[in-house]
Amino acid sequence: MKKQTLIYNGKSKQIFATESQNFIIMTYKDDETAYFGVKKSVIPNKGMLNNKISALIFKYLEKNGIYTHFVEQLDESEQLCRRATTLPLEFIVRNIIAGSLSRRLDIEEGTVPEQPIYEICLKSDVLRDPMINRYHVEGLGIAKEETLNQILVILKKINELLKNLLKKSHIDLIDFKVEFGFDTEGNLMLIDEISPDTARFWDSESHEHLDRDLFRRDLGDVETAYKEVLARLENVLQNG
Ligand code: UDP
């Protein structure tokens, strides 16, 4: 399948139409951003690394019963995906308190909550992705109650699957963000990406960051850390 018109040009990815109504091609960029585009840079090989990391994770989730948009990795920076009607929402799952939650509620980063915490944000760069609750989502007609219930069940399953996978790679899953959409037949599916750009990964022993916080907070070399994440996942998924 070949790339046709550019449908969407995002901060870290581009989406192209294909000759089929049912599929799109997603291209990962080397551009790195933080704080809603205020901090910007180009990280060599980041597109390739996130493409490979996310492809491995989506394949693993599919194998374990999660329906996703992922079809196949086409080359170093491209994936063939099912076309989706997207929900304008971001779902965050937190196993350990970090980032915005730590700042907002003044809870020390690294604190372990009694149970995972789920957040919903409205996707809007202009509004800085405001957090909303399920009553906003249902009341404003963004998604139906049954869809949100379905998503919550899927989020729990994804969290358990990812925690298990990453544990084998000696990585703790601190938090992650995912998005959902509907395929051309109306089935709910996981879309977008799961990578060190959209999740917090801490080395299980040293607690070093292996994610976008390296860039956000100038903590170290992003490319080296993302390469390390990919190597550890390949080791578990391809050789283990
Ligand atoms: N996240 C994301 N995109 C966003 C906001 C958050 O991928 O637009 C991810 C982020 O990388 C982290 C998790 O969601 O893994 C929780 O993010 P948090 O709200 O702590 O974001 P921060 O304000 O620290 O960027």
Side-chain angles (χ1 to χ4, degrees):
M1 225 163 285
K2 291 213 174 64
K3 278 196 278 189
Q4 293 187 337
T5 48
L6 179 68
I7 305 176
Y8 170 79
N9 193 9
K11 294 196 288 285
S12 64
K13 293 187 296 289
Q14 292 178 317
I15 309 276
F16 292 88
T18 65
E19 59 263 37
S20 164
Q21 271 300 311
N22 296 330
F23 299 100
I24 52 105
I25 289 175
M26 194 159 80
T27 304
Y28 285 73
K29 298 183 187 178
D30 288 344
D31 299 1
E32 185 66 288
T33 60
Y35 313 117
F36 299 93
V38 171
K39 184 170 177 175
K40 286 185 205 164
S41 188
V42 173
I43 312 281
N45 298 313
K46 191 196 67 120
M48 178 269 285
L49 291 164
N50 277 351
N51 183 31
K52 289 185 177 172
I53 292 168
S54 196
L56 281 177
I57 290 177
F58 272 63
K59 269 191 258 180
Y60 162 79
L61 292 175
E62 280 271 351
K63 212 172 118 189
N64 286 283
I66 306 288
Y67 181 47
T68 82
H69 73 159
F70 180 80
V71 180
E72 62 172 326
Q73 194 185 314
L74 295 174
D75 70 17
E76 293 273 283
S77 66
E78 287 181 0
Q79 290 178 7
L80 181 67
C81 297
R82 293 179 186 90
R83 190 173 192 136
T85 307
T86 60
L87 285 171
L89 299 171
E90 297 190 335
F91 294 87
I92 294 172
V93 180
R94 300 179 184 272
N95 296 310
I96 305 281
I97 310 274
S100 69
L101 184 56
S102 161
R103 290 192 300 275
R104 210 162 52 82
L105 299 186
D106 192 22
I107 303 172
E108 195 182 344
E109 195 158 81
T111 304
V112 186
E114 284 179 25
Q115 55 187 46
I117 296 170
Y118 300 87
E119 290 175 3
I120 309 174
C121 297
L122 182 69
K123 252 178 101 77
S124 165
D125 271 353
V126 179
L127 300 176
R128 301 194 148 222
D129 297 348
M131 195 195 297
I132 55 175
N133 66 36
R134 60 177 306 158
Y135 301 105
H136 294 103
V137 175
E138 292 163 25
L140 297 171
I142 301 169
K144 293 202 176 88
E145 183 183 357
E146 69 212 66
T147 304
L148 282 179
N149 290 341
Q150 229 182 319
I151 288 176
L152 204 62
V153 172
I154 301 170
L155 289 177
K156 284 183 184 163
K157 201 167 167 194
I158 294 174
N159 192 28
E160 287 314 309
L161 287 167
L162 283 183
K163 274 197 293 187
N164 273 335
L165 169 69
L166 291 162
K167 199 172 164 190
K168 290 185 200 150
S169 308
H170 304 284
I171 292 171
D172 289 339
L173 178 61
I174 306 307
D175 57 35
F176 63 93
K177 183 270 301 177
V178 284
E179 297 179 27
F180 291 88
F182 298 96
D183 70 10
T184 44
E185 286 171 3
N187 302 303
L188 184 67
M189 64 181 173
L190 180 70
I191 61 167
D192 197 51
E193 69 176 292
I194 300 179
S195 74
D197 266 4
T198 62
R200 285 194 168 90
F201 296 155
W202 291 0
D203 180 89
S204 300
E205 281 82 44
S206 69
H207 302 300
E208 270 176 78
H209 297 255
L210 299 167
D211 54 53
R212 188 153 58 109
D213 276 344
L214 291 166
F215 173 71
R216 287 190 190 93
R217 306 175 187 182
D218 294 316
L219 294 174
D221 190 61
V222 179
E223 186 188 358
T224 309
Y226 285 30
K227 269 189 189 152
E228 176 69 24
V229 170
L230 177 62
R232 291 193 199 184
L233 285 176
E234 280 176 344
N235 192 33
V236 168
L237 288 168
Q238 292 172 353
N239 311 324

